[in-house]
Amino acid sequence: MVRSLEQAMAARDALLACAAIGFDTESKPTFTKGEVSTGPHLIQFATSEHAYLFQIGSHTAEPMLAILKAILEPVAPLKIGFGLSDDVKRLHAKLDIRCGGIVDLSVALREPGQRNDLGAKTAVAKFFGQTLQKSKKISVTNWALPQLNDKQILYAADDAQVALRIYLHVQAIGRKLPPVKPIKFPKPPQPAA
């Protein structure tokens, strides 16, 4: 868990030194119809050696926001994950971060003629012949809590690590992924004339 500005700067430096990093977010689930998510509440990054978890509250201090933008907005390093469309949109809506260099493996690893996106569990089984344990109970916990428990931390770190490991494996076996497409963000409102 990244708790201080010093830890955030060290995480930024380690992440920006990589060509590709694992990436995901977690948001407190909504259970009531019409309830709007206030997420993301957690941003996860991973290198081959470490995972870095940033908690995002209702207000993110400017120095921390600047560090997150320094990691997320450039095209490099590539940000690797599964099902990143909502994550990217929520980051933009909540923190005005315009993510660059996003590689969504759920789309990039889709085989010709395959209609459904590929998930992390399926990718782990396909590429490593192993079962990825992902607890549904943990996935729907309150990610907005000020103190996450050990199971939440492990779940969140695994999400970012797994994505990076699959990407590195796919690269190692020589599989070409489609080029990174820029994310289309809503245009800012134009001032009235």
Side-chain angles (χ1 to χ4, degrees):
M1 295 294 301
V2 174
R3 301 201 185 278
S4 69
L5 190 56
E6 292 75 23
Q7 290 174 334
M9 290 187 293
R12 175 201 60 206
D13 294 346
L15 292 162
L16 292 179
C18 299
I21 57 176
F23 167 58
D24 196 20
T25 71
E26 300 296 340
S27 297
K28 175 184 172 186
T30 56
F31 297 107
T32 308
K33 186 175 180 170
E35 184 181 1
V36 176
S37 174
T38 58
H41 299 99
L42 184 70
I43 303 174
Q44 305 108 269
F45 299 109
T47 66
S48 295
E49 296 83 29
H50 299 286
Y52 302 95
L53 310 180
F54 289 77
Q55 286 186 290
I56 306 302
S58 56
H59 174 73
T60 303
E62 189 56 45
M64 192 66 78
L65 182 58
I67 287 171
L68 290 169
K69 285 185 174 193
I71 298 166
L72 285 164
E73 289 189 339
V75 173
L78 294 176
K79 274 65 81 184
I80 314 295
F82 284 91
L84 295 177
S85 177
D86 279 348
D87 303 72
V88 168
K89 289 175 187 170
R90 287 180 179 184
L91 281 168
H92 181 250
K94 184 172 184 172
L95 300 174
D96 195 31
I97 293 176
R98 294 177 171 269
C99 296
I102 297 293
V103 177
D104 190 336
L105 293 177
S106 60
V107 176
L109 295 175
R110 198 184 301 159
E111 299 288 344
Q114 181 180 344
R115 293 171 53 195
N116 297 330
D117 288 348
L118 187 69
K121 286 175 83 166
T122 306
V124 166
K126 177 179 179 173
F127 293 110
F128 300 127
Q130 297 178 354
T131 303
L132 176 63
Q133 300 296 324
K134 284 189 65 130
S135 168
K136 184 71 171 169
K137 184 177 177 182
I138 299 297
S139 73
V140 296
T141 58
N142 185 354
W143 294 99
L145 292 172
Q147 187 72 37
L148 300 179
N149 65 44
D150 290 344
K151 289 182 180 180
Q152 287 176 302
I153 291 168
L154 181 61
Y155 178 98
D158 280 351
D159 271 358
Q161 276 282 332
V162 162
L164 180 61
R165 289 176 189 264
I166 289 171
Y167 174 79
L168 294 174
H169 176 76
V170 167
Q171 295 292 99
I173 61 173
R175 180 163 173 187
K176 298 285 185 212
L177 295 177
V180 177
K181 293 181 182 175
I183 305 291
K184 292 183 181 173
F185 295 100
K187 292 185 178 174
Q190 297 297 319

